Amino acid sequence: MRRESKSTTGSVVRDRRSKKWQFFWWADGRRHSKRLGYFPTKTAARNAAQQFRVQPAQPKPSSAPTVPELVERYRAERMPTRTDTKRSYEVWISNHIIPKWGGCTITDLEPRPVELWLESLSLAPKSKTHIRGVLHNLWDFAAWSGDVARDRRNPMELVRIKGASKRVQKAPESHRGRVPKLDTTFAGAFPRYGFAVLLLGASHQRVSCLEVVRRGLAQRQAVG
């Protein structure tokens, strides 16, 4: 039996004894064969084997909508109706999301590229958090409308914003309405009102109230 050189499209071989043509090819890591029959020429045998050749897999076109397409539908169906919220959404979409991701499908918005993009923006962490929130809502809308698998985790949940989770530094005690420690000598100087002042301080009333009492005592001392 004469054999052709191996190729990715298979080979046509004629058996010397039976004079029949056979087609050999590889698929899924295994060698396959198919008896073609009698043909006067190799070209004819190759044409007959064409139906058995394994065609390379063609990438399926993405069924996910583009970001602008999804945004238009989101505006019509799920955009918040409150004026201030809607206006802020439009700002983030028009100024940042569409210019960057307008040529992509929603499934192209993966955590790593989105996080790196947000880090590159000259915006405050709070603003970056708002943009991530809009992208999160777009992904949820795509799942709700059936454009992406509903059992898939929203990838925007994995995007972190540096500085967004920092706790705001606590204000000084005097700014939070706490009463400073009272000097006992202050109460001793005014025995008639000292107990009331100490009681007021012990009850953790606001500083403004304590100041009123102090001013009243000061006025009495000046009059007396």
Side-chain angles (χ1 to χ4, degrees):
M1 181 183 290
R2 290 189 299 109
R3 299 170 181 263
E4 289 184 341
S5 60
K6 293 181 179 180
S7 66
T8 56
T9 57
S11 58
V12 175
V13 180
R14 190 174 70 169
D15 191 312
R16 293 181 179 178
R17 293 183 180 180
S18 64
K19 308 299 181 183
K20 293 180 180 180
W21 292 91
Q22 285 184 287
F23 176 56
F24 297 91
W25 75 96
W26 286 85
D28 301 325
R30 298 175 56 190
R31 189 170 185 253
H32 302 265
S33 65
K34 180 68 177 179
R35 182 169 294 181
L36 301 175
Y38 295 101
F39 293 93
T41 62
K42 182 182 289 188
T43 301
R46 283 176 177 171
N47 292 337
Q50 190 66 31
Q51 59 180 316
F52 303 108
R53 297 184 187 274
V54 178
Q55 299 296 329
Q58 299 294 330
K60 295 181 179 180
S62 176
S63 59
T66 63
V67 173
E69 292 172 348
L70 193 65
V71 166
E72 287 303 317
R73 288 165 43 203
Y74 178 77
R75 283 170 172 158
E77 301 178 37
R78 281 291 181 95
M79 177 73 83
T81 57
R82 185 177 178 181
T83 304
D84 292 342
T85 305
K86 184 176 181 180
R87 184 185 299 114
S88 64
Y89 272 48
E90 290 292 352
V91 170
W92 304 131
I93 290 172
S94 302
N95 294 347
H96 298 283
I97 295 176
I98 294 298
K100 174 62 179 180
W101 306 103
C104 304
T105 63
I106 187 62
T107 52
D108 291 331
L109 273 66
E110 291 292 331
R112 184 175 181 274
V114 170
E115 185 170 312
L116 293 176
W117 168 63
L118 288 174
E119 288 180 2
S120 69
L121 298 179
S122 300
L123 297 173
K126 184 176 181 180
S127 298
K128 296 177 182 180
T129 302
H130 288 319
I131 296 175
R132 180 187 60 182
V134 175
L135 294 176
H136 189 284
N137 290 346
L138 289 175
W139 254 100
D140 278 351
F141 176 74
W144 173 78
S145 59
D147 293 310
V148 298
R150 292 188 178 90
D151 58 350
R152 180 176 178 179
R153 181 180 182 181
N154 191 318
M156 296 303 103
E157 296 176 1
L158 302 176
V159 176
R160 296 183 179 182
I161 309 297
K162 292 182 179 179
S165 59
K166 281 186 177 181
R167 287 188 176 183
V168 179
Q169 187 176 4
K170 291 183 179 181
E173 293 293 328
S174 60
H175 292 174
R176 296 172 55 209
R178 298 288 299 278
V179 177
K181 292 182 179 180
L182 293 176
D183 188 355
T184 55
T185 60
F186 180 82
F190 304 97
R192 183 176 179 181
Y193 303 100
F195 179 76
V197 172
L198 291 176
L199 182 62
L200 182 63
S203 62
H204 298 284
Q205 298 296 320
R206 296 188 64 84
V207 175
S208 58
C209 297
L210 182 59
E211 289 298 328
V212 171
V213 174
R214 283 179 173 174
R215 291 177 182 178
L217 293 176
Q219 290 176 358
R220 280 184 173 274
Q221 183 182 16
V223 173

